Amino acid sequence: MRTRRWLWRWRRNPLRRRSDRAEAWAGLAAAVVMTVTAPLTGAMASDTVAGNLRDEPGLHRTSAVLRQDAPSTDGVATVSDDPTVLTEVSWTTADGRTRTERAPVEIGTRRGEHAPVWLDRRGMPQEPPPDATEVAVESGAAGGAVAVATCFAVASAGWLVRRRLDAVRDRGWEREWAMVGPRWSRRD
């Protein structure tokens, strides 16, 4: 029953208006565009984000020695399985000089221990690049969000077309009622 009601605009019917046919075609076009573009834009966004996350330019790993204990998270809730905190560390640069900066290291690392530190092209400590799981999760979330946004945009455009067609139908009803109404109400 519900399918029959939805398909009435496609059946031959003397009461079917041009605006009904236009609405049916607009709905079909919106469904096709949504079906094709949502996965496509989602996949493109996911690939772009994954590429950007994987291509951390100029980061290289070095070993640093902690100059102080890294704070622990006693009583503090953390979101990550591998949280890091900024702690003062020192490392030897490529030209043999010793450099001391604050860098992200694992929580609970003790003074004097070696910890991996990621440096940029200028030699400044940076957060470690994301691992494969983080890349997959973040790129998947971005792709899903873009796909949903695409569906929302197409559905909004379809809704606007339908509102416009409703306005055209309302104006048609008003014109016809202006001609027929006085005869039916017997007012002159």
Side-chain angles (χ1 to χ4, degrees):
M1 176 87 177
R2 188 169 213 173
T3 304
R4 183 186 284 164
R5 198 174 346 152
W6 184 77
L7 293 174
W8 77 270
R9 288 180 176 87
W10 295 101
R11 295 190 322 237
R12 295 213 180 270
N13 184 340
L15 298 177
R16 185 179 62 185
R17 302 164 287 198
R18 283 181 53 207
S19 63
D20 295 332
R21 286 191 300 272
E23 184 176 346
W25 282 108
L28 180 65
V32 168
V33 167
M34 194 180 300
T35 303
V36 171
T37 59
L40 199 62
T41 57
M44 288 178 7
S46 179
D47 289 346
T48 301
V49 169
N52 288 342
L53 289 174
R54 271 191 235 109
D55 297 337
E56 289 286 337
L59 287 184
H60 64 279
R61 183 178 171 167
T62 189
S63 180
V65 177
L66 271 69
R67 297 184 55 121
Q68 63 186 37
D69 290 345
S72 65
T73 59
D74 296 335
V76 178
T78 59
V79 177
S80 173
D81 290 338
D82 185 33
T84 59
V85 292
L86 288 177
T87 307
E88 194 169 303
V89 296
S90 62
W91 67 94
T92 305
T93 61
D95 59 3
R97 291 184 297 170
T98 301
R99 186 152 181 198
T100 302
E101 292 280 343
R102 293 177 61 80
V105 296
E106 287 186 30
I107 289 176
T109 309
R110 299 281 173 212
R111 180 179 184 204
E113 290 183 28
H114 288 271
V117 175
W118 291 88
L119 305 174
D120 62 12
R121 290 183 181 141
R122 298 174 300 150
M124 297 300 295
Q126 300 294 321
E127 288 290 327
D131 63 0
T133 304
E134 288 176 295
V135 169
V137 168
E138 288 186 33
S139 64
V146 169
V148 168
T150 301
C151 289
F152 180 75
V154 172
S156 296
W159 180 79
L160 288 173
V161 166
R162 185 169 180 180
R163 295 290 298 164
R164 182 82 172 136
L165 290 170
D166 284 345
V168 168
R169 286 188 280 252
D170 287 346
R171 284 194 301 272
W173 274 99
E174 288 173 9
R175 278 193 308 273
E176 290 178 21
W177 185 251
M179 291 181 345
V180 176
R183 281 188 264 158
W184 283 10
S185 64
R186 297 180 191 219
R187 285 186 266 158
D188 290 325

